[in-house]
Amino acid sequence: MADHVLLEAGDDLVRQLSHEREAVKAVLELVWNSLDADATKVDVTLERSSLDGVEKVVVSDNGDGITPEKARTAFKQVGNSDKREGGTTARLQRPLHGKAGRGRLRAFALGDSTRWTSTARAVDGRLMRSTIESEVRRRTTWRIDSQPASETADTGTKVELWGKQSRHLHRLLEPKAATQITAVLAPYLLTWTDVRVTYDGQLINPRTQIQDEEQSKDLTFEYDGETHPFEIRLIHWRTGSERTIALCDAASSPVETIDASAEHSDFAYTAYVLWKPMHRHRNEVPLIMLGGDTPLAPLLRAARTWIASRFEERRRRQRRQLVDKWIDEGVYPYASRAEGGQAQAEQGTFDLVATSINRHIPADKIKKRLTLSLLQNSLRHNPDEMVEILENVLRLGESDVSHLHGLLQQTSLSNIIRASSIVTARLQFLTALEHLVFDEETYGLVKERDHLHKILERELWLFGEEYNMMRSSEIGLTRLLEHHRRALGWDPAPDGPVRALNGRTRRVDLMLSAESHEHDRVRHLVIELKAPSVDADREQADQIDDYMQAVLNDPRFANVETTWDFCLVVRKIKDRLLPRVRQAGQPEGLYSEPTSYEHARVRVWVRTWSEILREAKQRLEFVKDGIDHNPSLEQALDYLRTRHGDLIPDQLRQSAAVPGPRSGGVQHPAV
């Protein structure tokens, strides 16, 4: 028999939870699903197309499978997973990893079509074979078909994902994909030695990848007047660039992972922080970045202090060994150890920089001596010689060096860095805003006036590079008239208040304005924001339409060279409003465009955060690819805390822990 199960979540939310840019994490979620089903054998197969791209992803296991009863409940809702509170598996008593029932949604990061084929013993004792299917066009609907299976059949689950055309899937073929999977699964595989996981035909064996291992069992942190013991297992990897902090329970089962790519970048490592109650604190990592009151904050501070001390000791030891080696080889550019403050400072700086980039220095003795001499000369005399240092130390290709030379002829290196920094900051903001608006643990705390309005005042590029805000948020219609007249070069002082059609004064959230000198036109964008917990219905759409009516029925706003766009921005549009904003032959989101006004062009829009975020990301995509930056949630929330710490919801921060916005900074232009 076949059933159709409707997932109890909106399509926008499902799209956000699927994390479609994170293919490796999606594979890991499926592997954890298999391990949570007591599988001892999990195989990840990547089927390639004729162009050597990923055509299909298959994850198969020999676990207990999914019963028909479980399928009809598990694929019906997001959250409230029966694995949220930790615990162990039913048969082998291994620690459970799954959280919030999101693993099945991650499948859409790997394929536009998904099929789960699972054999399990049903409640009545019979072996049943269930097929669960969905596709990206109807990702909230799952077709479930269950039939009796042969009593000789083996239990297990096979997940097939195909039909997706995305460059993000190519990351599955990169060597670092297997490295990342090894790092995440290492504690589990080192503990449960009977488990065998393969990835693209390669056995995941962390023991062969470990260079060194350190462990501390006597660490503590203080929270709420109590002392809590925890442990750290620090694994140094032989190769790769993995840098992760894994928050684990006492059984070494990862509950959350934190991207530590910006920390101790000269090492490849994973720090497993083991604390028995960890499973009770899922989803609290964002609260840490926002200064929230959670025991994970002092735990991470204590963990990072211990980790930093171990790496600093390794660095000191490695620097001493490396400098001694250079001296023995005769390639060290200093004849002797320096004496005197200035000389010691210079030589100490050289040792620090040179040993930090040692992995880029050529092995050939002559090239090594040349490279170190160039670095010494650059640090001592002329930073402009850094192009040559990059060429010799980092071994840039001829085309890259030529391109860098060309850039430096047109602009300064500092401007290049600044431009990259702006793009990086914007990408971090988009990731943070996406989290605030869509994450089920957060969006209920975000208010429209206290948070969204004021945060977006500082990030107006989100709505278009051409706009500059004319006034802060929450201005009245009368003040709106003042700014409009000022933009036209008229006397801004109105001769009376502006009122809505019902006679009341009204306020708008944001007003942005752009003036085109080429065509002598003025464009106004009036934005009405709603808290993420409020979905757009006719009532909200009529509110923004009333603003438009108030402006256009007042002759003081009249000007033939003016364009007005009134836009309602929400997380989700309710079904009964959708037909109005999705009409044939009209741009998506257009709610109304009156034609009876001679003095200005006016339009009313209803748009979702998904659309605005997607368009902003597309505008940044080219530059993002060039700087190879894909911000983690931790980096994004750190940006949000630093730049908008005074505007974050009170429930998620402590005033003493969250700094205010940077003063004296450059106002970023809008995209």
Side-chain angles (χ1 to χ4, degrees):
M1 60 181 177
D3 293 330
H4 287 80
V5 172
L6 183 64
L7 181 66
E8 295 174 355
D11 185 70
D12 283 349
L13 179 59
V14 174
R15 185 182 298 113
Q16 298 300 322
L17 294 179
S18 64
H19 297 285
E20 296 184 359
R21 293 174 177 265
E22 301 175 345
V24 176
K25 287 186 178 181
V27 168
L28 278 166
E29 286 289 345
L30 296 174
V31 171
W32 282 120
N33 280 352
S34 297
L35 297 177
D36 285 346
D38 271 332
T40 58
K41 184 176 183 294
V42 185
D43 296 313
V44 180
T45 303
L46 305 179
E47 297 184 8
R48 291 161 170 78
S49 66
S50 58
L51 299 177
D52 284 334
V54 177
E55 187 170 70
K56 188 176 186 181
V57 179
V58 181
V59 180
S60 56
D61 66 60
N62 65 346
D64 293 340
I66 306 172
T67 66
E69 298 85 1
K70 182 66 175 176
R72 289 179 176 80
T73 57
F75 286 83
K76 189 177 181 180
Q77 62 183 4
V78 178
N80 299 323
S81 168
D82 56 9
K83 299 183 283 187
R84 282 178 63 89
E85 297 303 324
T88 58
T89 59
R91 181 164 51 87
L92 299 180
Q93 298 299 297
R94 300 190 316 217
L96 285 168
H97 173 270
K99 58 180 182 179
R102 299 183 183 182
R104 62 196 175 277
L105 299 181
R106 286 285 181 94
F108 286 114
L110 304 172
D112 288 344
S113 298
T114 70
R115 178 167 60 236
W116 305 59
T117 306
S118 187
T119 302
R121 196 163 293 279
V123 174
D124 59 9
R126 293 185 301 164
L127 273 180
M128 298 292 291
R129 184 175 183 270
S130 299
T131 303
I132 306 139
E133 298 177 292
S134 185
E135 57 185 13
V136 71
R137 292 177 298 174
R138 294 185 292 273
R139 67 178 84 200
T140 57
T141 302
W142 298 80
R143 181 181 184 275
I144 302 176
D145 180 62
S146 299
Q147 301 292 338
S150 169
E151 285 300 316
T152 61
D154 295 325
T155 61
T157 301
K158 180 179 181 181
V159 185
E160 301 169 272
L161 313 116
W162 69 95
K164 193 176 191 69
Q165 301 296 321
S166 171
R167 60 183 178 80
H168 300 293
L169 287 181
H170 298 330
R171 295 174 182 170
L172 296 176
L173 302 175
E174 298 174 358
K176 64 181 180 182
T179 300
Q180 183 178 347
I181 291 172
T182 300
V184 173
L185 297 180
Y188 193 96
L189 297 178
L190 292 172
T191 302
W192 305 93
T193 56
D194 60 327
V195 175
R196 181 179 181 273
V197 177
T198 66
Y199 179 79
D200 197 25
Q202 173 185 345
L203 178 66
I204 301 298
N205 185 358
R207 183 59 63 188
T208 64
Q209 302 299 317
I210 295 176
Q211 180 186 58
D212 193 11
E213 188 173 352
E214 302 178 68
Q215 191 158 359
S216 176
K217 296 184 177 181
D218 55 355
L219 299 173
T220 61
F221 70 94
E222 301 291 328
Y223 178 74
D224 201 19
E226 297 183 7
T227 300
H228 301 265
F230 71 101
E231 302 175 16
I232 297 180
R233 186 177 189 177
L234 180 60
I235 292 180
H236 303 267
W237 302 108
R238 295 183 185 277
T239 60
S241 58
E242 181 71 19
R243 290 185 292 278
T244 305
I245 298 175
L247 303 181
C248 309
D249 59 21
S252 299
S253 177
V255 174
E256 300 281 358
T257 58
I258 297 176
D259 179 10
S261 57
E263 304 174 36
H264 313 294
S265 58
D266 46 339
F267 294 100
Y269 68 94
T270 303
Y272 304 92
V273 180
L274 281 60
W275 184 44
K276 186 176 181 180
M278 193 74 77
H279 63 274
R280 301 175 191 164
H281 300 277
R282 295 188 190 276
N283 302 315
E284 290 187 8
V285 170
L287 300 186
I288 299 172
M289 304 311 301
L290 295 172
D293 184 15
T294 164
L296 294 191
L299 170 61
L300 265 178
R301 284 196 296 269
R304 282 187 160 113
T305 298
W306 184 86
I307 294 168
S309 70
R310 304 312 306 150
F311 282 128
E312 186 53 38
E313 176 56 34
R314 292 177 71 91
R315 288 189 190 97
R316 285 195 294 266
R317 186 168 61 250
Q318 290 176 354
R319 283 198 292 268
R320 288 193 298 267
Q321 294 171 347
L322 187 54
V323 170
D324 289 343
K325 179 183 176 183
W326 287 339
I327 292 174
D328 292 341
E329 291 177 344
V331 299
Y332 191 64
Y334 294 90
S336 61
R337 301 310 298 173
E339 295 182 4
Q342 182 175 348
Q344 287 179 342
E346 178 193 320
Q347 195 166 350
T349 301
F350 172 84
D351 289 351
L352 181 62
V353 174
T355 54
S356 297
I357 63 172
N358 176 58
R359 64 186 181 275
H360 297 296
I361 296 177
D364 179 80
K365 186 175 180 178
I366 296 177
K367 292 182 179 179
K368 187 183 298 185
R369 183 187 299 114
L370 172 62
T371 296
L372 293 175
S373 297
L374 285 170
L375 180 59
Q376 178 202 35
N377 187 60
S378 177
L379 291 173
R380 177 181 292 175
H381 299 294
N382 192 354
D384 290 339
E385 293 183 0
M386 192 53 66
V387 175
E388 285 74 21
I389 296 296
L390 290 173
E391 180 179 8
N392 286 277
V393 175
L394 302 183
R395 291 183 291 180
L396 294 178
E398 182 178 348
S399 60
D400 290 332
V401 174
S402 175
H403 180 62
L404 185 55
H405 272 292
L407 283 175
L408 292 175
Q409 290 173 1
Q410 299 175 49
T411 185
S412 68
L413 184 59
S414 61
N415 284 339
I416 298 172
I417 294 173
R418 179 181 177 273
S420 298
S421 298
I422 291 174
V423 173
T424 298
R426 289 181 177 182
L427 289 167
Q428 290 171 345
F429 174 75
L430 291 178
T431 302
L433 181 60
E434 187 176 70
H435 172 76
L436 290 180
V437 172
F438 287 102
D439 192 279
E440 59 183 323
E441 302 289 338
T442 304
Y443 72 74
L445 301 175
V446 180
K447 307 303 180 185
E448 53 188 274
R449 294 185 179 180
D450 295 337
H451 307 131
L452 274 182
H453 295 183
K454 296 176 181 178
I455 289 174
L456 291 171
E457 280 185 293
R458 303 172 184 169
E459 307 281 355
L460 291 176
W461 57 268
L462 183 68
F463 300 104
E465 190 75 343
E466 67 273 23
Y467 289 110
N468 291 305
M469 194 171 68
M470 300 180 67
R471 186 66 180 174
S472 61
S473 60
E474 290 285 290
I475 65 173
L477 291 175
T478 303
R479 192 67 61 84
L480 189 73
L481 174 60
E482 291 180 21
H483 298 310
H484 166 65
R485 295 176 65 85
R486 184 176 291 110
L488 296 174
W490 297 350
D491 179 5
D495 54 8
V498 179
R499 300 186 182 276
L501 297 183
N502 59 8
R504 298 173 56 189
T505 59
R506 301 294 295 271
R507 304 181 72 83
V508 300
D509 293 341
L510 292 172
M511 178 182 178
L512 288 75
S513 178
E515 183 177 355
S516 172
H517 296 285
E518 180 180 356
H519 301 290
D520 294 327
R521 294 193 63 86
V522 172
R523 296 177 57 196
H524 296 309
L525 174 62
V526 178
I527 298 174
E528 174 70 15
L529 302 171
K530 293 299 178 184
S533 57
V534 178
D535 296 337
D537 206 343
R538 293 170 185 168
E539 177 184 354
Q540 287 75 29
D542 287 341
Q543 179 183 351
I544 192 71
D545 194 73
D546 285 347
Y547 294 159
M548 178 268 293
Q549 297 286 351
V551 167
L552 293 180
N553 282 284
D554 191 320
R556 292 172 294 178
F557 283 95
N559 180 263
V560 71
E561 301 298 335
T562 303
T563 298
W564 291 86
D565 284 298
F566 298 82
C567 186
L568 172 67
V569 181
V570 294
R571 185 176 67 93
K572 182 183 176 182
I573 301 174
K574 289 190 175 181
D575 290 343
R576 66 176 183 173
L577 185 61
L578 284 175
R580 181 72 180 269
V581 296
R582 294 181 180 175
Q583 301 185 48
Q586 297 288 345
E588 184 168 342
L590 184 63
Y591 182 74
S592 67
E593 185 176 11
T595 59
S596 58
Y597 297 95
E598 299 179 356
H599 302 299
R601 183 186 184 189
V602 292
R603 295 174 295 191
V604 177
W605 304 83
V606 179
R607 307 201 63 200
T608 66
W609 281 114
S610 289
E611 297 168 350
I612 292 173
L613 288 167
R614 182 173 62 249
E615 291 176 3
K617 288 179 180 179
Q618 287 173 349
R619 294 195 297 266
L620 294 172
E621 194 72 21
F622 174 78
V623 181
K624 182 188 79 69
D625 289 345
I627 64 175
D628 191 25
H629 181 67
N630 191 18
S632 66
L633 177 59
E634 183 184 21
Q635 292 171 322
L637 292 177
D638 185 51
Y639 169 85
L640 190 67
R641 184 180 68 173
T642 301
R643 183 167 171 80
H644 304 294
D646 56 331
L647 304 177
I648 294 171
D650 290 338
Q651 299 94 324
L652 302 182
R653 68 180 173 91
Q654 296 171 331
S655 58
V658 182
R662 295 171 180 165
S663 61
V666 177
Q667 175 66 44
H668 293 176
V671 170

